């Protein structure tokens, strides 16, 4: 017996994206080796705010993200790409080749997800270090 | 005594699934007790973040961390925020998000059983940590699972492998 987490695809995509952006910023902070008090001084804010942003206790706006990246000597980048599975992929489902009965719950879940998100795009954010070029 | 598979067939545990993208595959397995599943469907879905201005709900946080777990991501990618933490002495672990704590244990490497979930704010305010850890241990002792019931290690590399 399995239990599917009751979340709609839109909320799921939003939550995963926000979480991944925070994680990317945290990784950049760790990799930079910059101390919080120094970061706060460069940004002109309190150390407590730096902590709040890094630990996800404050909503991360694009401006905040850009400012933190600048202060850490990183350059953020943002891209959007189509979320369609490539042809030949195991889960590729053409309009005329949909299975009448899903082989398993997992496959069924994927089918449903593809139906719901076929027109959506995947977004990703990376923060690149300037020091390493 | 039963295997994990038999406990699922008997309805004592449920395997937890999340939506995966076309380029993602299961690397690890998550299970939930019936009480945990009830908490998800009755409470978690309605919770709001207590953090002012936070634009990600507790349910979205749990979905994100469950997805990371299932696809085999590193659960402690940096020291700023650990998504998985060991609770001392009794081999109980907690899956963590900004607002939520989920207590459980590893019956096998890469397999986690979720037993209790609650808001971090409530756990801290009402000092519930010890209680949840003790209750998780008690549940594990009562569960008719084959021995050894848990991975007896405090090291994350002994309970999790990371997908390539």
């Amino acid at each position: 017996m399995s239990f599917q987490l009751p979340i709609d695809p839109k909320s799921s995509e939003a939550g995963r994206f926000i979480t991944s952006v925070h994680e990317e910023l945290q990784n950049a902070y760790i990799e930079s080796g910059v101390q919080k008090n120094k970061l706060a001084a460069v940004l002109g804010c309190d150390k407590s705010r730096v902590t709040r942003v890094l630990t996800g206790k404050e909503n991360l706006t694009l401006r905040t993200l850009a400012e933190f990246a600048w202060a850490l000597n990183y350059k953020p980048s943002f891209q959007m790409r189509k979320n369609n599975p490539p042809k030949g992929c195991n889960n590729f489902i053409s309009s005329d080749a949909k299975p009448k009965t899903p082989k398993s719950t997992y496959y069924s879940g994927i089918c449903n997800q593809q139906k719901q998100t076929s027109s959506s795009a995947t977004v990703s954010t990376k923060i690149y270090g300037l020091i390493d070029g | 005594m039963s295997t994990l598979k038999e406990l699922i067939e008997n309805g004592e545990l449920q395997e937890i699934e999340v939506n995966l993208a076309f380029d993602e595959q299961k690397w690890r397995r998550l299970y939930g007790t019936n009480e945990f599943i009830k908490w998800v469907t009755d409470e978690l879905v309605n919770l709001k973040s207590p953090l002012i201005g936070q634009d990600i709900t507790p349910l979205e946080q749990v979905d994100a961390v469950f997805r990371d777990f299932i696809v085999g991501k590193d659960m402690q990618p940096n020291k700023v925020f650990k998504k998985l933490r060991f609770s001392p002495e009794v081999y109980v672990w907690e899956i963590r998000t900004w607002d939520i704590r989920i207590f459980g244990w590893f019956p096998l490497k890469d397999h986690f059983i979720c037993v209790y979930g609650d808001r971090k704010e409530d756990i801290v305010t009402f000092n519930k940590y010890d209680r949840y850890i003790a209750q998780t241990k008690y549940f594990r002792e009562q569960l008719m699972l084959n021995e050894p019931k848990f991975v007896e290690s405090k090291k994350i590399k002994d309970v999790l492998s990371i997908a390539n």
Side-chain angles (χ1 to χ4, degrees):
Chain A
M1 196 167 153
S2 67
F3 169 77
Q4 182 77 29
L5 201 70
I7 184 168
D8 67 275
K10 183 176 72 175
S11 300
S12 176
E13 197 66 43
R16 293 174 187 188
F17 177 65
I18 292 167
T19 307
S20 69
V21 172
H22 273 282
E23 202 172 297
E24 196 68 31
L25 178 61
Q26 290 165 358
N27 289 340
Y29 164 70
I30 294 290
E31 199 178 286
S32 72
V34 177
Q35 299 296 312
K36 281 182 192 167
N37 49 5
K38 193 180 172 191
L39 191 55
V42 172
L43 287 165
C45 66
D46 292 339
K47 186 182 165 188
S48 61
R49 181 171 180 247
V50 170
T51 303
R52 285 203 309 275
V53 169
L54 288 174
T55 54
K57 289 176 182 166
E58 184 174 312
N59 188 23
L60 193 59
T61 64
L62 285 175
R63 171 169 287 275
T64 305
L65 180 65
E67 288 178 353
F68 268 67
W70 169 80
L72 292 168
N73 200 25
Y74 278 70
K75 189 167 185 66
S77 74
F78 174 78
Q79 64 171 14
M80 294 183 74
R81 58 187 166 87
K82 286 279 188 185
N83 197 23
N84 297 332
K87 201 167 185 176
C89 162
N90 281 343
N91 289 317
F92 178 76
I93 301 165
S94 65
S95 56
D96 57 350
K98 284 181 185 170
K100 285 177 184 168
T101 46
K103 294 261 195 274
S104 68
T105 311
Y106 171 67
Y107 189 68
S108 170
I110 293 291
C111 291
N112 290 336
Q113 190 192 15
Q114 291 308 321
K115 278 182 206 165
Q116 290 159 343
T117 62
S118 59
S119 61
S120 67
T122 298
V123 282
S124 65
T125 295
K126 290 274 176 203
I127 298 177
Y128 297 103
L130 295 177
I131 297 170
D132 297 328
Chain B
M1 293 303 228
S2 312
T3 62
L4 268 177
K5 190 181 172 191
E6 287 165 345
L7 288 174
I8 292 169
E9 285 168 357
N10 296 342
E12 291 184 62
L13 293 177
Q14 297 186 46
E15 182 167 359
I16 299 171
E17 312 268 0
V18 295
N19 281 332
L20 299 179
F22 65 86
D23 55 354
E24 294 174 334
Q25 290 188 23
K26 275 188 189 176
W27 183 267
R28 306 184 187 123
R29 302 275 173 168
L30 265 181
Y31 310 93
T33 62
N34 291 326
E35 190 172 339
F36 177 77
I37 300 296
K38 188 173 185 314
W39 172 78
V40 170
T41 52
D42 292 355
E43 292 187 42
L44 178 64
V45 293
N46 298 316
L47 289 180
K48 306 283 182 217
S49 176
L51 301 174
I52 297 166
Q54 182 60 276
D55 61 355
I56 175 168
T57 66
L59 178 63
E60 289 167 349
Q61 295 171 27
V62 169
D63 172 68
V65 78
F66 277 5
R67 174 259 185 188
D68 286 352
F69 184 92
I70 287 172
V71 301
K73 282 187 73 176
D74 185 356
M75 298 298 281
Q76 292 186 347
N78 57 59
K79 292 175 186 170
V80 180
F81 188 83
K82 291 175 178 163
K83 288 181 273 188
L84 184 74
R85 195 168 70 176
F86 179 74
S87 296
E89 305 305 325
V90 290
Y91 306 102
V92 168
W93 293 73
E94 53 175 308
I95 291 179
R96 308 166 77 232
T97 76
W98 293 310
D99 296 328
I100 300 294
R101 299 289 183 267
I102 294 165
F103 296 87
W105 82 91
F106 288 91
L108 297 166
K109 189 172 187 177
D110 294 326
H111 293 249
F112 186 82
I113 299 176
C114 303
V115 184
Y116 296 104
D118 202 349
R119 297 167 63 206
K120 176 203 162 194
E121 196 180 32
D122 285 353
I123 294 171
V124 173
T125 305
F126 302 111
N127 200 15
K128 291 177 171 177
Y129 258 104
D130 291 344
R131 198 183 91 193
Y132 276 129
I133 290 168
Q135 283 182 326
T136 302
K137 179 174 175 274
Y138 179 77
F139 180 88
R140 185 173 65 201
E141 287 167 355
Q142 300 303 309
L143 190 67
M144 298 297 282
L145 178 65
N146 285 346
E147 298 282 354
K149 288 186 176 180
F150 56 93
V151 179
E152 204 168 326
S153 174
K154 299 174 182 179
K155 293 177 183 169
I156 199 160
K157 69 177 176 60
D158 292 335
V159 293
L160 289 184
S161 61
I162 296 172
N164 297 323

